[in-house]
Amino acid sequence: MPLPALLEQRLRLPLVAAPMFLISNPQLVLACCGHGVVGSFPALNQRDTGGFKRWIEEIEAGLAALEKPAPYAVNLIVHPSNPRLQADLAVCVEHRVPIVITSLGAVKEVVEAVQAYGGLVFHDVTTRRHGEKAAEAGVDGLIAVAAGAGGHAGTWSPFALVAELRQFFDKTLLLAGCLNHGHEMLAAQMLGVDLAYMGTRFIATEESQAQPAYKQMLLGAKAMDIVHTPAVSGVPASFLRQSLEQAGFDMTALKTRHDQGRLKPLDEEAKAWKTVWSAGQGVGGIQDLPDTGTLIERLRDEYHQALARAHNLHA
Ligand SMILES: Cc1cc2nc3c(=O)[nH]c(=O)nc-3n(C[C@H](O)[C@H](O)[C@H](O)COP(=O)(O)O)c2cc1C
């Protein structure tokens, strides 16, 4: 699909660096946008709406000093448990945040408030039903969060999820889950996706505000170390086994727990994520802690090499 006008000609790679709770900050966003990739952060990474507004102002000032930066995105948690939603949305409207990424609820009023000033709304989904509801709410893009992703991952294969979403959604489609390299971004495009959406890979960068021990744990981890469990958030999310063990979770009990549950209150969840660290199954493909610019330039090389290889494929 053609990209919306706001993104057309503004990206040097078809990539969004995904918003991550406690990880993304203005330095990471600016490094991404400066290298032609959409950078993003959750509004809740700042303690209050005033702090969130200061981050937006810092990002806007940083972008103004860059030549042709990519647009940035803010993540809003659209869930009754988020008491800041209206105040944070008002800041997005005031500053005309180019892209708003909504999670946990697709609400027409939020979509309309952003579209009214010319912004785009992309919404996270893990199933066809979620996708249909978001499409009804009028979102500009769907983020297919497939099995193995970091954070509140889905359980569907990316092939199944993308194929079903494309049956009814012809706007911008993004794919999340275990993407770390340029050739994986191209593979996503081959499935019919417009933009790759990468989270875990960006934890392991100099700019990310993950604690050093978190970054080191991630570098030592493999896919088998990722535990998808509702025990921390109330709803299933992916965590590093080593951090669950350090936090004292009973690993045998976790393996037998498969309930879907309900999202815990946000303050409880926030506290838990400080000591229990999330990552996706793609961890095994991450071996270094580069600065974000170096990572993006490498992704570009890999992407173009994969494109060249694709020309030589035979039926
Ligand atoms: C540590 C961590 C925190 C996350 N926090 C959020 C969040 O606050 N809001 C959100 O929409 N997604 C969040 N996610 C999900 C990411 O935005 C993205 O969907 C996911 O990381 C993509 O999969 P990958 O990690 O395999 O690349 C988080 C993911 C991780 C790993």
Side-chain angles (χ1 to χ4, degrees):
M1 286 298 124
L3 287 175
L6 196 149
L7 287 168
E8 195 64 60
Q9 310 287 332
R10 304 241 350 242
L11 303 183
R12 292 180 67 221
L13 257 188
L15 177 62
V16 174
M20 289 182 285
F21 186 53
L22 305 178
I23 306 287
S24 326
N25 57 14
Q27 290 71 32
L28 184 58
V29 171
L30 286 170
C32 289
C33 296
H35 285 85
V37 159
V38 176
S40 69
F41 71 99
L44 294 177
N45 272 9
Q46 269 286 19
R47 207 169 293 221
D48 53 31
T49 298
F52 167 51
K53 187 171 158 62
R54 281 193 295 282
W55 267 15
I56 298 260
E57 286 163 356
E58 184 180 337
I59 289 169
E60 284 175 347
L63 291 176
L66 295 171
E67 206 179 314
K68 290 199 190 155
Y72 72 100
V74 160
N75 171 228
L76 297 179
I77 304 292
V78 183
H79 190 269
S81 65
N82 178 11
R84 276 177 47 188
L85 175 64
Q86 290 308 328
D88 290 351
L89 177 62
V91 171
C92 293
V93 172
E94 181 193 342
H95 287 268
R96 300 175 161 250
V97 169
I99 304 166
V100 172
I101 294 170
T102 53
S103 321
L104 299 175
V107 174
K108 214 172 174 166
E109 291 70 38
V110 174
V111 175
E112 286 172 354
V114 175
Q115 289 173 343
Y117 65 79
L120 298 173
V121 177
F122 291 168
H123 183 73
D124 269 357
V125 300
T126 53
T127 64
R128 180 190 185 110
R129 186 70 201 112
H130 287 143
E132 285 169 345
K133 281 199 204 159
E136 279 165 29
V139 300
D140 303 283
L142 288 179
I143 305 161
V145 183
H152 295 284
T155 54
W156 289 23
S157 151
F159 290 95
L161 187 54
V162 167
E164 290 210 21
L165 294 175
R166 265 298 178 233
Q167 285 169 10
F168 63 88
F169 193 74
D170 63 3
K171 299 186 200 167
T172 307
L173 188 57
L174 301 93
L175 178 63
C178 311
L179 305 176
N180 289 324
H181 300 101
H183 58 269
E184 291 150 358
M185 295 169 50
L186 184 63
Q189 287 185 310
M190 291 298 99
L191 291 183
V193 163
D194 302 292
L195 297 168
Y197 195 75
M198 266 184 209
T200 301
R201 175 58 266 194
F202 283 89
I203 300 175
T205 57
E206 284 179 11
E207 289 82 353
S208 108
Q209 59 181 32
Q211 299 168 44
Y214 186 168
K215 294 182 185 178
Q216 286 307 322
M217 189 181 282
L218 194 143
L219 290 184
K222 298 282 178 279
M224 64 179 291
D225 296 313
I226 303 304
V227 183
H228 192 231
T229 175
V232 179
S233 291
V235 295
S238 302
F239 297 98
L240 287 158
R241 173 185 53 78
Q242 295 86 334
S243 73
L244 287 161
E245 284 171 356
Q246 270 180 21
F249 279 84
D250 176 343
M251 300 309 290
T252 318
L254 282 194
K255 277 187 196 134
T256 52
R257 203 179 145 176
H258 298 296
D259 52 306
Q260 284 297 311
R262 284 168 69 98
L263 189 69
K264 287 185 183 167
L266 277 187
D267 50 347
E268 236 180 87
E269 153 128 309
K271 217 178 282 167
W273 283 55
K274 282 192 181 128
T275 49
V276 185
W277 297 331
S278 178
Q281 288 176 0
V283 281
I286 301 174
Q287 268 94 33
D288 58 0
L289 290 175
D291 64 80
T292 299
T294 302
L295 171 63
I296 292 173
E297 290 314 314
R298 187 166 74 207
L299 288 169
R300 261 170 66 79
D301 288 347
E302 290 167 352
Y303 179 80
H304 288 290
Q305 284 164 18
L307 260 182
R309 281 202 305 278
H311 285 299
N312 296 325
L313 291 176
H314 297 289

